[in-house]
Each structure stands twice: as C-alpha cells, then as structure tokens.
Amino acid sequence: MDEEKTTVCAARGLVRSPDGTRIAYERYGDGDGTPVILVSGALGTAGSERVLAGLLARRFPVVAYDRRGRGASGDNGPYAVEREIADLAALVDAVGGTAGTAAVHGTACGGALALAAAAAGVPVGPVSVYEPPYGSEAAERRGRVRALLDRGRRGEALDLLLGEGAGVPAQPRPVLEALTHTLAYDDAVVGDGSVPAARLGRVHARVLVVDGGASPSWTRRVARTVAAAVPRGRHRTLTGQTHQVAPHVLAPVIEDFLEDCLADEAAATGT
C-alpha cells in the first residue's frame, strides 16, 4: 500500500488486487478507528464520494476508491464480478488496520457489490446500502443500456441514463462518456435483476438498506425485500429524497447506524 499526502483529502493511495490491477483510493479523516469504505454506483468514482466522505470523516476514518476501470484505477481483463470483489477485499486488507476489517457503504450498484462481497466472505463490518438497483424496472433499463453498449453507442447509452434520472454523478460529459464501458460491469454485478435472496442469506454483517421517499415506489419495495433477505438487516426510508440522495441527509443516518453497531459490539465484548 503506497500513500501520498494531499490537500484535498488526508492521503491518496494505491493497492494491488490479486490479479495485479491497480486500485486507487482517497483517505479522509484522522484516527485509527474502523474505517468506512465508500463504493460508488454507476459512473461514479472516488471523486463522486467526496462530499459524503467529508461529512462522515467528522466521526470516522473514510476511504473512497475508484472501482476498476474508473479514474486512476487499472482494468486488467477480462472483467468478472469476482475480480471486483477481490479489489474490495484488497482494500479492506490495506486500510482495515489491526482489526483487518472495515465498514462499507455502497450506493446503487455499489451497494449490490458491497453485499456480494459480504456474502463472499470479505471481512467487512456493518454494511449500509442506498437503493440497490434490483427489480424488473431497473433491469429493463439496464437491458436497453446494454443493447446500446453492445452496438458501440456509448453516447446514446449515457443519454438514456441522463434522460431517465438514473442518478448519474454530476461530472462533465466527456468524463462520464469515458466511464460508460463500466456500465456493463455494473450490469454483471446486479445480474438478472432479481433480489439474490440465497446469496444475501449468507451475509453475516449487520446491514442497513435505505431508500428515498420520493423515489419510485418499486425502489422501496426492493429495499424492503433486500433488508428482509439479510439475516441482520433493517430498512429505512428518507423522506423527500430521490435516487440522488443529498449527502447531508444520508450521512447522519449512516453515522447513527455505525455508532449503534459499534456500541453493540462493545457491549458484547465488554470493552
């Protein structure tokens, strides 16, 4: 693990995934407590998470990273979901300190990846996710995006997402277009769109599933289904929020969830 101090965040660093892929990350906050790793959704990078990271860093060390194929990270192929899980595992190992673990928050497809990693046995602590995009409605849109990508029509795929309010990060169009190939990666993470109940049943971590009260009703139905499928899951709706959730609204919810988990852990161990 190599780190370089910066003025934007506490440090930028690189870790190597088992297949040799370079994974770039940004670290925020001080202290040696359990870090929170932020996993971005479609077309997101570490930079997309800076506002949320800065808010959470008031109480926890925070790490945001560029998923493979994005930002400063590499993209050794061929793509496989297992490789992305291994990327997150390498990051947990690098930043998890003596405990060798980290809490994880994932947005949209990043939430689906965080849950897949937890189910695969990556040593994560509490997991929070915002609107994981399971369900037939999201699957139908991903199918249309995938068809455009298969024909090399990346600009049209991006236009489709922008036109349907899919929660695309606020970045210049050239930046977003350079990331459109990773939409196929997110599609692989989510799979056929059905809630993977059997896989979620293998998640031992405590999980908070959050949705926005102003999002379409199907997102709430999916969120509740995901929370029910996880043995230690809970669900919360944020009044007035959409898929593009306001960081200042989401951050306190994540903070309270993590504090509750840490308090319960301390009570259980007598520390």
Side-chain angles (χ1 to χ4, degrees):
M1 175 177 66
D2 300 317
E3 288 191 349
E4 174 187 0
K5 299 295 183 181
T6 75
T7 56
V8 176
C9 52
R12 287 196 178 101
L14 295 172
V15 298
R16 293 280 178 178
S17 198
D19 69 356
T21 300
R22 179 185 68 247
I23 302 299
Y25 68 89
E26 299 178 355
R27 187 194 293 266
Y28 299 78
D30 299 317
D32 55 1
T34 300
V36 183
I37 296 176
L38 304 182
V39 188
S40 60
L43 303 179
T45 63
S48 309
E49 304 295 335
R50 284 177 184 153
V51 175
L52 179 60
L55 292 169
L56 293 173
R58 297 175 302 187
R59 294 173 70 177
F60 303 97
V62 180
V63 173
Y65 74 106
D66 292 329
R67 291 170 55 190
R68 65 171 51 215
R70 311 178 189 209
S73 289
D75 195 15
N76 293 359
Y79 179 81
V81 176
E82 292 77 13
R83 290 177 184 256
E84 276 228 81
I85 291 173
D87 297 344
L88 183 52
L91 191 58
V92 170
D93 182 64
V95 305
T98 56
T101 188
V104 179
H105 172 75
T107 299
C109 295
L113 178 59
L115 291 170
V122 176
V124 298
V127 176
S128 58
V129 298
Y130 188 81
E131 294 193 353
Y134 299 112
S136 59
E137 294 86 353
E140 187 275 335
R141 180 170 60 201
R142 285 197 309 277
R144 287 185 283 136
V145 169
R146 184 171 60 249
L148 291 170
L149 294 176
D150 289 344
R151 296 198 294 273
R153 295 159 65 177
R154 293 186 176 186
E156 291 180 50
L158 179 57
D159 287 338
L160 191 158
L161 292 177
L162 292 172
E164 297 193 4
V168 175
Q171 295 284 347
R173 185 180 179 92
V175 174
L176 296 175
E177 285 192 353
L179 297 172
T180 52
H181 66 288
T182 64
L183 293 171
Y185 301 174
D186 285 323
D187 189 54
V189 169
V190 180
D192 65 6
S194 61
V195 174
R199 180 197 305 158
L200 295 176
R202 298 194 296 270
V203 175
H204 300 298
R206 293 179 62 174
V207 175
L208 173 65
V209 186
V210 187
D211 65 74
S215 291
S217 59
W218 64 263
T219 61
R220 196 149 30 264
R221 182 178 68 250
V222 168
R224 288 173 176 156
T225 301
V226 171
V230 178
R232 304 172 70 193
R234 67 174 80 167
H235 168 258
R236 179 163 177 181
T237 295
L238 302 184
T239 302
Q241 294 300 302
T242 66
H243 192 62
Q244 293 178 295
V245 61
H248 73 274
V249 175
L250 180 60
V253 175
I254 298 173
E255 291 170 351
D256 290 347
F257 170 62
L258 296 179
E259 292 283 10
D260 285 348
C261 293
L262 292 173
D264 289 348
E265 181 181 334
T269 60
T271 57

